[in-house]
Amino acid sequence: MALRIQTEPMENRQMALRVEVDQERVDQELRKAARKISNQYRIPGFRQGKAPYSVVVQYVGLPALINEFLEPLGQEVYRQAIEEAKIEPYAMAQLDVDSLEPLTYKFVVPLEPEVDLGDYRNLRLEEPQIEVDEADIQARLEEYREQFAGWREVNRPSQYGDMLTVDVRSVLIPEEGQAPSEETVVLDETDWDITLDKENPLEPPGFDEALLGLRPGEEKEFVLSWPADSQSIYAGKQARFRVKVNTIQAHEAPPLDDAFAQLVGPDFQTLDDLKARIREELEEKRRSQAENEYLEKALDALVAQSKLVYPPVVIEDQLDVMVSEFERQLRRYGIESLEDFLRQSGQTVEEYRESLREQAETIARRNLVISELYRKEGIEVTDEDIEARINAMLGPERAATADDNEDGQATEDLAAEAADVTGQAEPPTAELAEGEADARADDNDATRALRQIMRSGSGRAVLESQILQEKALDRLLMIVRGEELPELPPAELVTQAEPLPTEAGA
């Protein structure tokens, strides 16, 4: 049955469809719904499934019948309407009922985004310079020195930062007018390790300072008191201390010389060797960082000069993926409920989702220009690209693996390996070798199955998307650097770009 369709363009690449359904079709759906309800429920005065339409309407009401088919009919009408109106939706439409008499559906259909990259081949960006100076190298050397620093016994006056091993005895001094009695011992320790710390001194105040300047073997007596507001049980009291320093250790780093370089690793014979390696590592790290930052700037520049018009669902899809990815990360740590996790920080899922919106918009806009870039440039993924990616992930494929497993050669190989290790003519148990062979065969079978998934279907689609994105980004870097580019394909050969799958980051 023909539909009466009205189309109305909306902003942000959306189309409103108002579709009026013929009353004859509505009547058919009403009677189908009545038969369904009559079969499901016993209506007084009639056998199950035998109540006439008018009685069912009177018994359950017309709204109940309409609710039975409103959504499924809407899906059918939507499919028919977009076909008749020759509309290619970008994603699922939003369905609303505009009217019941006559039955009229309203669909808000998201359309394919429109992306105009402008004169993108003349986009240029100055590439950052990579510099590593002596201060950078010296800072890394100091990090290495700190790694190899340790406590070393010294024979000099003590200073802050040293660790002292001391014998200490202290007793309270009787207060004025107090009758002499048995002495109260505060401390009586032998070989007690303390570290002189200016920022976090020991109590009573002045104890660390009193030990400064002492050498190993020296003794000292002094009197200290606790402040009246001290948390100590000796608050407001005085004590006489007798301390003997047994040893002093200083936390020292090794000197920067050839011996230190050899301590860092066997590849370094001299300090200059170590410095050269540090320079290489810093340059490589900064080159990688600079490349990432340069690519980010190139993407932002391409987005800034492009004209993008897209439906809101583009951002909502990106937000869905980002929230789902966060949920997966939580499950890895044994947290099953996103709601419970966010509740601890006083946040709802909706608030968390909204906090990601700006980031989602950045990612989505970048994905749109990348998709248009590889379309305009005619970038494609070949079977060779797919095989290279699979081999990079799983290692090179061995053609003889299947035959070896099928004819039992793997078991014989394992037996020979076991004999070599044990020095016996036969492995300790034939069952062990056969079990290992079975496990190896199972593993090889699983790997072959995984390769096949990656070569076709959804697995291949994922790899193609990754490779397309990488190739498009490489092409963008060539453009902004002003490098020589291949000729653009003829316009008639440039196909519609498939949008990149929405990812948590790009």
Side-chain angles (χ1 to χ4, degrees), residues 132-134 136-138 140-141 144 261 264-287:
V132 175
D133 57 29
E134 287 303 316
D136 299 321
I137 296 174
Q138 191 63 36
R140 179 59 62 86
L141 285 172
Y144 279 127
V264 173
D267 295 336
F268 312 115
Q269 295 302 313
T270 67
L271 185 60
D272 288 339
D273 293 339
L274 177 57
K275 287 182 176 181
R277 176 66 63 83
I278 290 174
R279 181 179 292 277
E280 291 175 4
E281 291 176 349
L282 289 176
E283 287 177 347
E284 179 60 31
K285 180 179 179 179
R286 293 187 181 180
R287 187 177 296 109

PDB file of all heavy atoms in Angstrom, residues 132-134 136-138 140-141 144 261 264-287:
ATOM      1  N   VAL A 132      68.543  18.106  21.952  1.00  0.00           N
ATOM      2  CA  VAL A 132      68.946  17.512  23.232  1.00  0.00           C
ATOM      3  C   VAL A 132      70.234  18.199  23.646  1.00  0.00           C
ATOM      4  O   VAL A 132      71.245  18.110  22.940  1.00  0.00           O
ATOM      5  CB  VAL A 132      69.168  15.989  23.107  1.00  0.00           C
ATOM      6  CG1 VAL A 132      69.709  15.433  24.423  1.00  0.00           C
ATOM      7  CG2 VAL A 132      67.883  15.276  22.725  1.00  0.00           C
ATOM      8  N   ASP A 133      70.212  18.924  24.751  1.00  0.00           N
ATOM      9  CA  ASP A 133      71.421  19.631  25.177  1.00  0.00           C
ATOM     10  C   ASP A 133      72.095  18.890  26.329  1.00  0.00           C
ATOM     11  O   ASP A 133      71.607  17.877  26.822  1.00  0.00           O
ATOM     12  CB  ASP A 133      71.099  21.077  25.549  1.00  0.00           C
ATOM     13  CG  ASP A 133      70.031  21.165  26.643  1.00  0.00           C
ATOM     14  OD1 ASP A 133      69.942  20.228  27.465  1.00  0.00           O
ATOM     15  OD2 ASP A 133      69.289  22.161  26.682  1.00  0.00           O
ATOM     16  N   GLU A 134      73.233  19.439  26.749  1.00  0.00           N
ATOM     17  CA  GLU A 134      74.028  18.787  27.790  1.00  0.00           C
ATOM     18  C   GLU A 134      73.280  18.716  29.115  1.00  0.00           C
ATOM     19  O   GLU A 134      73.465  17.773  29.890  1.00  0.00           O
ATOM     20  CB  GLU A 134      75.354  19.525  27.973  1.00  0.00           C
ATOM     21  CG  GLU A 134      76.342  19.304  26.852  1.00  0.00           C
ATOM     22  CD  GLU A 134      76.665  17.821  26.645  1.00  0.00           C
ATOM     23  OE1 GLU A 134      76.880  17.121  27.655  1.00  0.00           O
ATOM     24  OE2 GLU A 134      76.680  17.381  25.486  1.00  0.00           O
ATOM     25  N   ASP A 136      70.129  18.136  29.500  1.00  0.00           N
ATOM     26  CA  ASP A 136      69.241  16.975  29.429  1.00  0.00           C
ATOM     27  C   ASP A 136      70.022  15.691  29.725  1.00  0.00           C
ATOM     28  O   ASP A 136      69.549  14.810  30.450  1.00  0.00           O
ATOM     29  CB  ASP A 136      68.604  16.877  28.041  1.00  0.00           C
ATOM     30  CG  ASP A 136      67.752  18.089  27.712  1.00  0.00           C
ATOM     31  OD1 ASP A 136      67.064  18.580  28.621  1.00  0.00           O
ATOM     32  OD2 ASP A 136      67.774  18.535  26.549  1.00  0.00           O
ATOM     33  N   ILE A 137      71.199  15.591  29.137  1.00  0.00           N
ATOM     34  CA  ILE A 137      72.029  14.397  29.346  1.00  0.00           C
ATOM     35  C   ILE A 137      72.466  14.316  30.809  1.00  0.00           C
ATOM     36  O   ILE A 137      72.452  13.239  31.416  1.00  0.00           O
ATOM     37  CB  ILE A 137      73.245  14.428  28.405  1.00  0.00           C
ATOM     38  CG1 ILE A 137      72.762  14.351  26.948  1.00  0.00           C
ATOM     39  CG2 ILE A 137      74.202  13.283  28.720  1.00  0.00           C
ATOM     40  CD1 ILE A 137      73.863  14.511  25.929  1.00  0.00           C
ATOM     41  N   GLN A 138      72.838  15.476  31.370  1.00  0.00           N
ATOM     42  CA  GLN A 138      73.287  15.480  32.756  1.00  0.00           C
ATOM     43  C   GLN A 138      72.154  15.077  33.699  1.00  0.00           C
ATOM     44  O   GLN A 138      72.380  14.349  34.676  1.00  0.00           O
ATOM     45  CB  GLN A 138      73.804  16.878  33.132  1.00  0.00           C
ATOM     46  CG  GLN A 138      74.540  16.935  34.460  1.00  0.00           C
ATOM     47  CD  GLN A 138      75.803  16.085  34.479  1.00  0.00           C
ATOM     48  OE1 GLN A 138      76.501  15.983  33.475  1.00  0.00           O
ATOM     49  NE2 GLN A 138      76.088  15.473  35.625  1.00  0.00           N
ATOM     50  N   ARG A 140      69.715  13.027  33.021  1.00  0.00           N
ATOM     51  CA  ARG A 140      69.548  11.574  32.945  1.00  0.00           C
ATOM     52  C   ARG A 140      70.674  10.856  33.684  1.00  0.00           C
ATOM     53  O   ARG A 140      70.435   9.843  34.349  1.00  0.00           O
ATOM     54  CB  ARG A 140      69.504  11.148  31.477  1.00  0.00           C
ATOM     55  CG  ARG A 140      69.361   9.639  31.267  1.00  0.00           C
ATOM     56  CD  ARG A 140      68.090   9.087  31.907  1.00  0.00           C
ATOM     57  NE  ARG A 140      66.905   9.669  31.313  1.00  0.00           N
ATOM     58  CZ  ARG A 140      66.321   9.193  30.216  1.00  0.00           C
ATOM     59  NH1 ARG A 140      66.816   8.146  29.606  1.00  0.00           N
ATOM     60  NH2 ARG A 140      65.222   9.762  29.757  1.00  0.00           N
ATOM     61  N   LEU A 141      71.889  11.384  33.590  1.00  0.00           N
ATOM     62  CA  LEU A 141      73.012  10.789  34.330  1.00  0.00           C
ATOM     63  C   LEU A 141      72.742  10.840  35.835  1.00  0.00           C
ATOM     64  O   LEU A 141      73.050   9.885  36.565  1.00  0.00           O
ATOM     65  CB  LEU A 141      74.318  11.524  34.003  1.00  0.00           C
ATOM     66  CG  LEU A 141      74.941  11.235  32.638  1.00  0.00           C
ATOM     67  CD1 LEU A 141      76.118  12.179  32.389  1.00  0.00           C
ATOM     68  CD2 LEU A 141      75.417   9.782  32.551  1.00  0.00           C
ATOM     69  N   TYR A 144      70.485   8.072  36.788  1.00  0.00           N
ATOM     70  CA  TYR A 144      71.231   6.814  36.908  1.00  0.00           C
ATOM     71  C   TYR A 144      72.028   6.792  38.218  1.00  0.00           C
ATOM     72  O   TYR A 144      72.087   5.765  38.913  1.00  0.00           O
ATOM     73  CB  TYR A 144      72.185   6.644  35.732  1.00  0.00           C
ATOM     74  CG  TYR A 144      71.537   6.115  34.472  1.00  0.00           C
ATOM     75  CD1 TYR A 144      71.675   6.794  33.256  1.00  0.00           C
ATOM     76  CD2 TYR A 144      70.809   4.932  34.469  1.00  0.00           C
ATOM     77  CE1 TYR A 144      71.093   6.316  32.092  1.00  0.00           C
ATOM     78  CE2 TYR A 144      70.220   4.444  33.318  1.00  0.00           C
ATOM     79  CZ  TYR A 144      70.374   5.150  32.129  1.00  0.00           C
ATOM     80  OH  TYR A 144      69.792   4.663  30.990  1.00  0.00           O
ATOM     81  N   ALA A 261      79.920   4.130  34.248  1.00  0.00           N
ATOM     82  CA  ALA A 261      79.287   3.728  32.986  1.00  0.00           C
ATOM     83  C   ALA A 261      79.220   2.207  32.890  1.00  0.00           C
ATOM     84  O   ALA A 261      78.200   1.647  32.469  1.00  0.00           O
ATOM     85  CB  ALA A 261      80.051   4.308  31.806  1.00  0.00           C
ATOM     86  N   VAL A 264      76.428   0.825  34.908  1.00  0.00           N
ATOM     87  CA  VAL A 264      75.100   0.977  34.312  1.00  0.00           C
ATOM     88  C   VAL A 264      74.780  -0.170  33.380  1.00  0.00           C
ATOM     89  O   VAL A 264      73.646  -0.678  33.340  1.00  0.00           O
ATOM     90  CB  VAL A 264      74.995   2.326  33.570  1.00  0.00           C
ATOM     91  CG1 VAL A 264      73.674   2.426  32.793  1.00  0.00           C
ATOM     92  CG2 VAL A 264      75.108   3.476  34.561  1.00  0.00           C
ATOM     93  N   GLY A 265      75.762  -0.627  32.595  1.00  0.00           N
ATOM     94  CA  GLY A 265      75.493  -1.726  31.674  1.00  0.00           C
ATOM     95  C   GLY A 265      76.739  -2.205  30.964  1.00  0.00           C
ATOM     96  O   GLY A 265      77.711  -1.450  30.810  1.00  0.00           O
ATOM     97  N   PRO A 266      76.744  -3.464  30.523  1.00  0.00           N
ATOM     98  CA  PRO A 266      77.935  -4.032  29.882  1.00  0.00           C
ATOM     99  C   PRO A 266      78.231  -3.431  28.511  1.00  0.00           C
ATOM    100  O   PRO A 266      79.339  -3.627  27.987  1.00  0.00           O
ATOM    101  CB  PRO A 266      77.580  -5.524  29.757  1.00  0.00           C
ATOM    102  CG  PRO A 266      76.081  -5.556  29.729  1.00  0.00           C
ATOM    103  CD  PRO A 266      75.643  -4.434  30.613  1.00  0.00           C
ATOM    104  N   ASP A 267      77.290  -2.706  27.925  1.00  0.00           N
ATOM    105  CA  ASP A 267      77.515  -2.120  26.604  1.00  0.00           C
ATOM    106  C   ASP A 267      78.342  -0.850  26.662  1.00  0.00           C
ATOM    107  O   ASP A 267      78.731  -0.314  25.617  1.00  0.00           O
ATOM    108  CB  ASP A 267      76.173  -1.789  25.931  1.00  0.00           C
ATOM    109  CG  ASP A 267      75.360  -3.037  25.633  1.00  0.00           C
ATOM    110  OD1 ASP A 267      75.966  -4.121  25.515  1.00  0.00           O
ATOM    111  OD2 ASP A 267      74.127  -2.924  25.527  1.00  0.00           O
ATOM    112  N   PHE A 268      78.607  -0.360  27.877  1.00  0.00           N
ATOM    113  CA  PHE A 268      79.302   0.916  28.014  1.00  0.00           C
ATOM    114  C   PHE A 268      80.684   0.694  28.626  1.00  0.00           C
ATOM    115  O   PHE A 268      80.794   0.230  29.763  1.00  0.00           O
ATOM    116  CB  PHE A 268      78.492   1.879  28.880  1.00  0.00           C
ATOM    117  CG  PHE A 268      77.039   1.951  28.481  1.00  0.00           C
ATOM    118  CD1 PHE A 268      76.045   1.517  29.355  1.00  0.00           C
ATOM    119  CD2 PHE A 268      76.672   2.417  27.244  1.00  0.00           C
ATOM    120  CE1 PHE A 268      74.713   1.573  28.996  1.00  0.00           C
ATOM    121  CE2 PHE A 268      75.336   2.479  26.862  1.00  0.00           C
ATOM    122  CZ  PHE A 268      74.362   2.055  27.738  1.00  0.00           C
ATOM    123  N   GLN A 269      81.713   1.059  27.870  1.00  0.00           N
ATOM    124  CA  GLN A 269      83.067   0.951  28.383  1.00  0.00           C
ATOM    125  C   GLN A 269      83.538   2.268  28.992  1.00  0.00           C
ATOM    126  O   GLN A 269      84.352   2.275  29.903  1.00  0.00           O
ATOM    127  CB  GLN A 269      84.020   0.535  27.250  1.00  0.00           C
ATOM    128  CG  GLN A 269      83.755  -0.857  26.708  1.00  0.00           C
ATOM    129  CD  GLN A 269      83.855  -1.928  27.792  1.00  0.00           C
ATOM    130  OE1 GLN A 269      84.811  -1.948  28.586  1.00  0.00           O
ATOM    131  NE2 GLN A 269      82.872  -2.816  27.843  1.00  0.00           N
ATOM    132  N   THR A 270      83.016   3.362  28.460  1.00  0.00           N
ATOM    133  CA  THR A 270      83.424   4.676  28.958  1.00  0.00           C
ATOM    134  C   THR A 270      82.191   5.519  29.241  1.00  0.00           C
ATOM    135  O   THR A 270      81.083   5.212  28.806  1.00  0.00           O
ATOM    136  CB  THR A 270      84.307   5.409  27.921  1.00  0.00           C
ATOM    137  OG1 THR A 270      83.500   5.717  26.769  1.00  0.00           O
ATOM    138  CG2 THR A 270      85.483   4.541  27.497  1.00  0.00           C
ATOM    139  N   LEU A 271      82.427   6.621  29.951  1.00  0.00           N
ATOM    140  CA  LEU A 271      81.333   7.543  30.243  1.00  0.00           C
ATOM    141  C   LEU A 271      80.802   8.169  28.956  1.00  0.00           C
ATOM    142  O   LEU A 271      79.605   8.427  28.828  1.00  0.00           O
ATOM    143  CB  LEU A 271      81.814   8.627  31.209  1.00  0.00           C
ATOM    144  CG  LEU A 271      80.763   9.621  31.710  1.00  0.00           C
ATOM    145  CD1 LEU A 271      79.644   8.902  32.456  1.00  0.00           C
ATOM    146  CD2 LEU A 271      81.407  10.690  32.596  1.00  0.00           C
ATOM    147  N   ASP A 272      81.669   8.381  27.992  1.00  0.00           N
ATOM    148  CA  ASP A 272      81.233   8.935  26.708  1.00  0.00           C
ATOM    149  C   ASP A 272      80.293   7.975  25.980  1.00  0.00           C
ATOM    150  O   ASP A 272      79.351   8.408  25.306  1.00  0.00           O
ATOM    151  CB  ASP A 272      82.444   9.251  25.821  1.00  0.00           C
ATOM    152  CG  ASP A 272      83.216  10.468  26.313  1.00  0.00           C
ATOM    153  OD1 ASP A 272      82.621  11.270  27.061  1.00  0.00           O
ATOM    154  OD2 ASP A 272      84.401  10.611  25.951  1.00  0.00           O
ATOM    155  N   ASP A 273      80.552   6.670  26.111  1.00  0.00           N
ATOM    156  CA  ASP A 273      79.637   5.682  25.511  1.00  0.00           C
ATOM    157  C   ASP A 273      78.238   5.828  26.107  1.00  0.00           C
ATOM    158  O   ASP A 273      77.231   5.799  25.389  1.00  0.00           O
ATOM    159  CB  ASP A 273      80.137   4.255  25.766  1.00  0.00           C
ATOM    160  CG  ASP A 273      81.437   3.956  25.040  1.00  0.00           C
ATOM    161  OD1 ASP A 273      81.726   4.672  24.063  1.00  0.00           O
ATOM    162  OD2 ASP A 273      82.129   3.008  25.442  1.00  0.00           O
ATOM    163  N   LEU A 274      78.193   5.976  27.424  1.00  0.00           N
ATOM    164  CA  LEU A 274      76.896   6.108  28.095  1.00  0.00           C
ATOM    165  C   LEU A 274      76.205   7.402  27.678  1.00  0.00           C
ATOM    166  O   LEU A 274      75.001   7.412  27.406  1.00  0.00           O
ATOM    167  CB  LEU A 274      77.103   6.077  29.610  1.00  0.00           C
ATOM    168  CG  LEU A 274      75.849   6.274  30.475  1.00  0.00           C
ATOM    169  CD1 LEU A 274      74.781   5.234  30.146  1.00  0.00           C
ATOM    170  CD2 LEU A 274      76.203   6.230  31.959  1.00  0.00           C
ATOM    171  N   LYS A 275      76.962   8.486  27.589  1.00  0.00           N
ATOM    172  CA  LYS A 275      76.371   9.759  27.178  1.00  0.00           C
ATOM    173  C   LYS A 275      75.806   9.670  25.761  1.00  0.00           C
ATOM    174  O   LYS A 275      74.731  10.212  25.472  1.00  0.00           O
ATOM    175  CB  LYS A 275      77.418  10.871  27.258  1.00  0.00           C
ATOM    176  CG  LYS A 275      77.771  11.301  28.677  1.00  0.00           C
ATOM    177  CD  LYS A 275      78.780  12.444  28.644  1.00  0.00           C
ATOM    178  CE  LYS A 275      79.081  12.967  30.038  1.00  0.00           C
ATOM    179  NZ  LYS A 275      80.048  14.098  30.014  1.00  0.00           N
ATOM    180  N   ALA A 276      76.537   8.982  24.872  1.00  0.00           N
ATOM    181  CA  ALA A 276      76.073   8.854  23.487  1.00  0.00           C
ATOM    182  C   ALA A 276      74.754   8.092  23.430  1.00  0.00           C
ATOM    183  O   ALA A 276      73.838   8.458  22.676  1.00  0.00           O
ATOM    184  CB  ALA A 276      77.142   8.161  22.642  1.00  0.00           C
ATOM    185  N   ARG A 277      74.640   7.016  24.228  1.00  0.00           N
ATOM    186  CA  ARG A 277      73.401   6.242  24.247  1.00  0.00           C
ATOM    187  C   ARG A 277      72.248   7.082  24.817  1.00  0.00           C
ATOM    188  O   ARG A 277      71.123   7.031  24.294  1.00  0.00           O
ATOM    189  CB  ARG A 277      73.578   4.977  25.081  1.00  0.00           C
ATOM    190  CG  ARG A 277      72.292   4.164  25.236  1.00  0.00           C
ATOM    191  CD  ARG A 277      71.803   3.567  23.937  1.00  0.00           C
ATOM    192  NE  ARG A 277      72.792   2.634  23.425  1.00  0.00           N
ATOM    193  CZ  ARG A 277      72.899   1.366  23.826  1.00  0.00           C
ATOM    194  NH1 ARG A 277      72.068   0.889  24.732  1.00  0.00           N
ATOM    195  NH2 ARG A 277      73.823   0.593  23.306  1.00  0.00           N
ATOM    196  N   ILE A 278      72.540   7.843  25.867  1.00  0.00           N
ATOM    197  CA  ILE A 278      71.503   8.701  26.449  1.00  0.00           C
ATOM    198  C   ILE A 278      71.018   9.711  25.419  1.00  0.00           C
ATOM    199  O   ILE A 278      69.816   9.950  25.285  1.00  0.00           O
ATOM    200  CB  ILE A 278      72.046   9.415  27.706  1.00  0.00           C
ATOM    201  CG1 ILE A 278      72.255   8.409  28.838  1.00  0.00           C
ATOM    202  CG2 ILE A 278      71.095  10.529  28.149  1.00  0.00           C
ATOM    203  CD1 ILE A 278      72.915   8.991  30.065  1.00  0.00           C
ATOM    204  N   ARG A 279      71.943  10.297  24.674  1.00  0.00           N
ATOM    205  CA  ARG A 279      71.556  11.263  23.643  1.00  0.00           C
ATOM    206  C   ARG A 279      70.655  10.606  22.605  1.00  0.00           C
ATOM    207  O   ARG A 279      69.619  11.159  22.203  1.00  0.00           O
ATOM    208  CB  ARG A 279      72.802  11.856  22.980  1.00  0.00           C
ATOM    209  CG  ARG A 279      72.477  12.887  21.899  1.00  0.00           C
ATOM    210  CD  ARG A 279      73.746  13.457  21.293  1.00  0.00           C
ATOM    211  NE  ARG A 279      74.472  14.259  22.252  1.00  0.00           N
ATOM    212  CZ  ARG A 279      74.212  15.535  22.520  1.00  0.00           C
ATOM    213  NH1 ARG A 279      73.198  16.136  21.884  1.00  0.00           N
ATOM    214  NH2 ARG A 279      74.926  16.204  23.386  1.00  0.00           N
ATOM    215  N   GLU A 280      71.017   9.394  22.157  1.00  0.00           N
ATOM    216  CA  GLU A 280      70.203   8.680  21.163  1.00  0.00           C
ATOM    217  C   GLU A 280      68.799   8.415  21.699  1.00  0.00           C
ATOM    218  O   GLU A 280      67.798   8.610  20.996  1.00  0.00           O
ATOM    219  CB  GLU A 280      70.871   7.356  20.791  1.00  0.00           C
ATOM    220  CG  GLU A 280      72.157   7.502  19.998  1.00  0.00           C
ATOM    221  CD  GLU A 280      72.839   6.157  19.772  1.00  0.00           C
ATOM    222  OE1 GLU A 280      72.253   5.126  20.180  1.00  0.00           O
ATOM    223  OE2 GLU A 280      73.948   6.134  19.218  1.00  0.00           O
ATOM    224  N   GLU A 281      68.716   7.937  22.941  1.00  0.00           N
ATOM    225  CA  GLU A 281      67.415   7.614  23.521  1.00  0.00           C
ATOM    226  C   GLU A 281      66.548   8.861  23.684  1.00  0.00           C
ATOM    227  O   GLU A 281      65.348   8.841  23.390  1.00  0.00           O
ATOM    228  CB  GLU A 281      67.609   6.926  24.874  1.00  0.00           C
ATOM    229  CG  GLU A 281      68.214   5.532  24.765  1.00  0.00           C
ATOM    230  CD  GLU A 281      68.488   4.921  26.123  1.00  0.00           C
ATOM    231  OE1 GLU A 281      68.401   5.657  27.134  1.00  0.00           O
ATOM    232  OE2 GLU A 281      68.800   3.712  26.181  1.00  0.00           O
ATOM    233  N   LEU A 282      67.152   9.960  24.145  1.00  0.00           N
ATOM    234  CA  LEU A 282      66.393  11.192  24.323  1.00  0.00           C
ATOM    235  C   LEU A 282      65.925  11.736  22.975  1.00  0.00           C
ATOM    236  O   LEU A 282      64.788  12.215  22.847  1.00  0.00           O
ATOM    237  CB  LEU A 282      67.242  12.237  25.049  1.00  0.00           C
ATOM    238  CG  LEU A 282      67.518  11.982  26.531  1.00  0.00           C
ATOM    239  CD1 LEU A 282      68.447  13.049  27.094  1.00  0.00           C
ATOM    240  CD2 LEU A 282      66.217  11.957  27.328  1.00  0.00           C
ATOM    241  N   GLU A 283      66.803  11.667  21.976  1.00  0.00           N
ATOM    242  CA  GLU A 283      66.410  12.143  20.652  1.00  0.00           C
ATOM    243  C   GLU A 283      65.266  11.318  20.094  1.00  0.00           C
ATOM    244  O   GLU A 283      64.318  11.859  19.505  1.00  0.00           O
ATOM    245  CB  GLU A 283      67.612  12.105  19.701  1.00  0.00           C
ATOM    246  CG  GLU A 283      68.643  13.200  19.975  1.00  0.00           C
ATOM    247  CD  GLU A 283      69.857  13.083  19.068  1.00  0.00           C
ATOM    248  OE1 GLU A 283      69.995  12.013  18.409  1.00  0.00           O
ATOM    249  OE2 GLU A 283      70.657  14.037  19.004  1.00  0.00           O
ATOM    250  N   GLU A 284      65.330   9.987  20.261  1.00  0.00           N
ATOM    251  CA  GLU A 284      64.276   9.120  19.760  1.00  0.00           C
ATOM    252  C   GLU A 284      62.956   9.392  20.485  1.00  0.00           C
ATOM    253  O   GLU A 284      61.886   9.457  19.866  1.00  0.00           O
ATOM    254  CB  GLU A 284      64.680   7.653  19.929  1.00  0.00           C
ATOM    255  CG  GLU A 284      63.638   6.657  19.450  1.00  0.00           C
ATOM    256  CD  GLU A 284      63.308   6.814  17.982  1.00  0.00           C
ATOM    257  OE1 GLU A 284      64.200   7.222  17.200  1.00  0.00           O
ATOM    258  OE2 GLU A 284      62.149   6.555  17.605  1.00  0.00           O
ATOM    259  N   LYS A 285      63.034   9.544  21.799  1.00  0.00           N
ATOM    260  CA  LYS A 285      61.820   9.815  22.574  1.00  0.00           C
ATOM    261  C   LYS A 285      61.204  11.138  22.175  1.00  0.00           C
ATOM    262  O   LYS A 285      59.985  11.245  21.956  1.00  0.00           O
ATOM    263  CB  LYS A 285      62.157   9.808  24.067  1.00  0.00           C
ATOM    264  CG  LYS A 285      60.957  10.072  24.963  1.00  0.00           C
ATOM    265  CD  LYS A 285      61.350  10.039  26.431  1.00  0.00           C
ATOM    266  CE  LYS A 285      60.143  10.325  27.330  1.00  0.00           C
ATOM    267  NZ  LYS A 285      60.511  10.284  28.768  1.00  0.00           N
ATOM    268  N   ARG A 286      62.033  12.156  22.034  1.00  0.00           N
ATOM    269  CA  ARG A 286      61.507  13.474  21.681  1.00  0.00           C
ATOM    270  C   ARG A 286      61.034  13.506  20.231  1.00  0.00           C
ATOM    271  O   ARG A 286      60.089  14.225  19.898  1.00  0.00           O
ATOM    272  CB  ARG A 286      62.569  14.539  21.942  1.00  0.00           C
ATOM    273  CG  ARG A 286      62.858  14.684  23.423  1.00  0.00           C
ATOM    274  CD  ARG A 286      63.771  15.826  23.740  1.00  0.00           C
ATOM    275  NE  ARG A 286      64.007  15.864  25.189  1.00  0.00           N
ATOM    276  CZ  ARG A 286      64.784  16.759  25.793  1.00  0.00           C
ATOM    277  NH1 ARG A 286      65.386  17.700  25.074  1.00  0.00           N
ATOM    278  NH2 ARG A 286      64.949  16.729  27.097  1.00  0.00           N
ATOM    279  N   ARG A 287      61.699  12.735  19.383  1.00  0.00           N
ATOM    280  CA  ARG A 287      61.246  12.662  17.988  1.00  0.00           C
ATOM    281  C   ARG A 287      59.860  12.035  17.923  1.00  0.00           C
ATOM    282  O   ARG A 287      58.993  12.496  17.179  1.00  0.00           O
ATOM    283  CB  ARG A 287      62.240  11.848  17.162  1.00  0.00           C
ATOM    284  CG  ARG A 287      61.946  11.849  15.663  1.00  0.00           C
ATOM    285  CD  ARG A 287      63.011  11.095  14.891  1.00  0.00           C
ATOM    286  NE  ARG A 287      64.314  11.748  15.018  1.00  0.00           N
ATOM    287  CZ  ARG A 287      65.330  11.279  15.707  1.00  0.00           C
ATOM    288  NH1 ARG A 287      65.210  10.131  16.373  1.00  0.00           N
ATOM    289  NH2 ARG A 287      66.467  11.933  15.761  1.00  0.00           N
TER     290      ARG A 287
END
